[in-house]
Amino acid sequence: CTTPCVVNQSSGTQLNVSIPASVPLSAGSRLDFSSWSGGAASTSTTLQVTLTQSASVFTANYYTSYLLFTSTNPANGATFKTSPASPDGYFPSGTPITVTPVPNSGYKFVGWGGDLSGTFTPGYLTMNGPESIVANLQAVPSIAPAGIVNAAGATPDGSVAPGSIISIYGQNLAGALQIGPSNPLAQTIGNVTVTVNGILMPLMFVSPGQINAQVPAELAPGTY
């Protein structure tokens, strides 16, 4: 029945009373159950009631929650962390929250849009209504984990040798595929350079996802 409603049954009748945990109000707001008051003290959405000759009154208390809409530009470039955390993006009305963007590999955060502004993280909001925020991102070069390998094939320990040809895998490493001259090899192709220990590497080709280069023959053994 739609509240307020009355149920008349014989004394001693046992009833199960169930209510929804949430009641939608709009696309970005809802009512969330908090507790019972009156004839029951419980935080469960189901009550077991035994009727008596006296009238029993059960009141379900709800509070308003609002949704935080999040997006990135470009799309799918980051995830978001909020404090306090929320399993579905809804927060009780009046809750102060912080929002931190976590860019995916190949992107960096450059500024807020929507209901947040500025270039600093985390962002701060008070959920007095539905809020919508946009994390603006910029594509940046990013080398994948273990993304530097011998171009001829995997080595037993993952290392590369001085003078050998290597492949560098990642994202946004270059604007487009460009092949350099074969003799002599170029140190710059398409405005892209690769350095190790301050030494420019000779390049074979560059592309957004892969660069082939030659390790300097004079590079001493070590980790760079």
Side-chain angles (χ1 to χ4, degrees):
C1 60
T2 301
T3 56
C5 65
V6 176
V7 177
N8 291 309
Q9 295 287 343
S10 301
S11 177
T13 300
Q14 292 184 330
L15 301 176
N16 285 327
V17 181
S18 297
I19 59 170
S22 297
V23 180
L25 294 177
S26 67
S29 63
R30 71 187 185 195
L31 296 176
D32 287 327
F33 172 72
S34 60
S35 64
W36 293 94
S37 62
S42 174
T43 57
S44 172
T45 56
T46 300
L47 286 180
Q48 290 186 332
V49 177
T50 300
L51 300 184
T52 66
Q53 292 183 353
S54 301
S56 299
V57 179
F58 303 95
T59 302
N61 300 301
Y62 286 79
Y63 58 87
T64 305
S65 293
Y66 296 112
L67 179 62
L68 175 66
F69 296 91
T70 59
S71 62
T72 64
N73 179 31
N76 303 316
T79 57
F80 293 88
K81 290 183 177 180
T82 62
S83 180
S86 169
D88 57 4
Y90 276 89
F91 298 88
S93 176
T95 301
I97 65 172
T98 61
V99 188
T100 304
V102 183
N104 296 333
S105 178
Y107 294 97
K108 72 174 182 179
F109 174 78
V110 294
W112 293 107
D115 292 324
L116 279 176
S117 60
T119 59
F120 296 101
T121 62
Y124 296 88
L125 287 169
T126 299
M127 297 299 293
N128 292 321
E131 302 284 353
S132 179
I133 62 173
V134 180
N136 295 307
L137 308 170
Q138 181 180 21
V140 294
S142 174
I143 298 176
I148 300 177
V149 298
N150 189 293
T155 56
D157 60 359
S159 62
V160 296
S164 64
I165 306 301
I166 63 170
S167 294
I168 304 170
Y169 295 98
Q171 293 178 301
N172 305 314
L173 300 179
L177 171 63
Q178 293 192 49
I179 300 174
S182 58
N183 188 20
L185 295 175
Q187 293 179 324
T188 301
I189 302 176
N191 295 321
V192 175
T193 60
V194 179
T195 62
V196 56
N197 205 36
I199 306 171
L200 284 167
M201 285 189 179
L203 306 177
M204 286 76 184
F205 72 88
V206 300
S207 70
Q210 179 181 348
I211 294 174
N212 271 23
Q214 184 178 25
V215 180
E218 66 269 30
L219 192 66
T223 301
Y224 298 91

